[in-house]
Amino acid sequence: MKCLLLSAVAYKIDNMQPPTYAEAVAAEVRAELGRNRKKATDLAKHLNLSPQTALRRLSGESPFYAHELSEIATWLDIELDRLVKPNAGSAA
């Protein structure tokens, strides 16, 4: 799965396409997971998702549902805006 993720990122870079909103939100979720020392498997368990589905969400391939983002924000003890407004938390 990691090879697939890397090839998707390389494709975006090669074609110089701006990230989609789903990809930008996924990047914020990944950043917050890292700040909280959580893994994709932790997220999958917390949201009751398969690991594959969690990875699709985290890559931006499949968008997060609103209730998932709300649950992630509560779980990580952050404001929902930090996830749904990419770069909103970067000044903090």
Side-chain angles (χ1 to χ4, degrees):
M1 184 54 90
K2 288 183 182 180
C3 291
L4 179 61
L5 258 178
L6 291 176
S7 60
V9 170
Y11 176 79
K12 284 281 188 182
I13 291 171
D14 289 345
N15 291 302
M16 300 304 290
Q17 296 174 352
T20 64
Y21 180 70
E23 291 167 336
V25 169
E28 293 299 323
V29 172
R30 288 192 310 270
E32 290 298 334
L33 286 176
R35 287 183 194 107
N36 286 275
R37 299 180 191 269
K38 304 281 187 189
K39 300 178 186 175
T41 53
D42 299 324
L43 177 68
K45 287 177 186 175
H46 187 76
L47 294 179
N48 198 29
L49 299 173
S50 71
Q52 296 82 9
T53 299
L55 287 175
R56 282 195 299 276
R57 299 275 202 281
L58 289 169
S59 72
E61 179 185 337
S62 298
F64 282 97
Y65 290 106
H67 72 276
E68 292 171 338
L69 291 170
S70 178
E71 181 59 36
I72 293 167
T74 301
W75 179 51
L76 298 177
D77 194 29
I78 59 171
E79 294 293 324
L80 181 59
D81 281 358
R82 299 228 354 224
L83 300 177
V84 298
K85 295 181 180 177
N87 297 321
S90 62

